[in-house]
Amino acid sequence: MTSPERVYSVIERSLVKLGKSDIMILCLELSQKAIERVLKKLADEGKIVKVGAGKSTTYADVKRL
């Protein structure tokens, strides 16, 4: 499973919005920088939505909104 697939599957299965730190705990095999790159890519592709800004930023699957 690629990094984007792994992060997307974690967000897709979650019933709540996840912060970057939550995703880091659930994807221990990925570095912080890799997760940040993947989150930006998924948001740019329209698969996830970024909610909030700064430390309170969370991410959710667009299908859940």
Side-chain angles (χ1 to χ4, degrees):
M1 187 177 277
T2 65
S3 299
E5 290 171 341
R6 174 77 175 118
V7 172
Y8 182 66
S9 72
V10 167
I11 294 171
E12 183 179 39
R13 290 180 304 185
S14 177
L15 299 176
V16 296
K17 297 173 190 162
L18 297 174
K20 185 171 47 175
S21 61
D22 300 320
I23 297 167
M24 288 174 60
I25 291 168
L26 296 169
C27 299
L28 292 173
E29 69 278 7
L30 301 175
S31 69
Q32 179 179 347
K33 286 291 185 188
I35 290 173
E36 289 170 353
R37 281 191 303 269
V38 168
L39 288 171
K40 180 174 180 352
K41 179 181 181 200
L42 292 172
D44 289 346
E45 291 174 355
K47 293 183 177 182
I48 63 171
V49 64
K50 179 179 174 182
V51 181
K55 291 186 178 193
S56 64
T57 302
T58 56
Y59 300 88
D61 188 358
V62 293
K63 294 180 235 168
R64 294 246 184 235
L65 299 177

